Amino acid sequence: KDQIKEYDSLKTKNGAEAGALAINSAQKLLEAADQGITKAIEIREEGAQLLAKTLVSAWRKVGQSGFEFSFTISGGLSKNLSYCKSIEKYVLDLEPNSKWIPAAGDNLSGALWIAENLKADIRPMLGWARV
C-alpha cells in the first residue's frame, strides 16, 4: 500500500523515480514470495509465465523453433533463484529444447559479447543493431 501511495504521488510516472520504485517493489514481491506469501507467489508465477511467453515468442520469431537454445536472465531480479527457476519452468513448458544458464554478466556485458561474436545478423531480432 505504501508503494502504491508513493507511485501515485509521483509527478512523472515513467521517469527514473518510477523505474526505481518498480524495481524496489518487484524485489520486495520476490522476497515475500520466498517467504511463502501466497499472493506474492501467484504474482511471481504470473510474471514468470509472461516473461517466458515473451522469450519463447522472440525465439520462434527468428525461425529457430525445434532447436536447442540457451537463455539467461540478467538484471537485479535475476539474483532471485526462485524467480529464475519459475521462468525456466515456463520456458521449458513452451519450448522443451531450451536450457537456462546463469548470467555471466550484465546487459552491457551481453551487448559487448554480441558485438564481438556475432558477425552475421540474426534477423529480425538483431536487425536494429547494425548500422
Side-chain angles (χ1 to χ4, degrees):
K1 289 180 182 179
D2 291 339
Q3 291 174 335
I4 291 171
K5 285 181 186 177
E6 187 177 343
Y7 177 79
D8 287 341
S9 72
L10 294 174
K11 291 181 182 177
T12 303
K13 305 290 191 215
N14 60 356
E17 285 182 58
L21 179 60
I23 292 167
N24 186 39
S25 296
Q27 288 171 333
K28 286 184 178 188
L29 175 95
L30 293 178
E31 289 170 9
D34 285 345
Q35 293 173 9
I37 297 172
T38 303
K39 195 58 167 174
I41 294 170
E42 290 172 10
I43 294 168
R44 178 194 67 200
E45 293 303 301
E46 182 178 352
Q49 189 172 33
L50 291 170
L51 185 56
K53 286 179 180 179
T54 301
L55 175 64
V56 170
S57 175
W59 175 250
R60 290 176 179 169
K61 187 170 182 162
V62 296
Q64 302 300 315
S65 184
F67 293 94
E68 180 179 296
F69 76 103
S70 299
F71 66 96
T72 193
I73 304 158
S74 64
L77 299 181
S78 68
K79 295 175 185 163
N80 184 288
L81 188 58
S82 299
Y83 181 55
C84 290
K85 288 297 182 182
S86 291
I87 296 166
E88 177 186 25
K89 175 183 78 167
Y90 291 117
V91 169
L92 284 169
D93 287 347
L94 295 167
E95 192 67 49
N97 294 319
S98 62
K99 179 183 175 186
W100 172 67
I101 55 173
D106 60 17
N107 295 349
L108 292 177
S109 301
L112 289 173
W113 186 92
I114 288 170
E116 293 169 356
N117 293 284
L118 296 180
K119 304 303 179 192
D121 209 356
I122 300 175
R123 296 243 177 241
M125 213 160 45
L126 294 178
W128 60 267
R130 303 284 185 234
V131 179

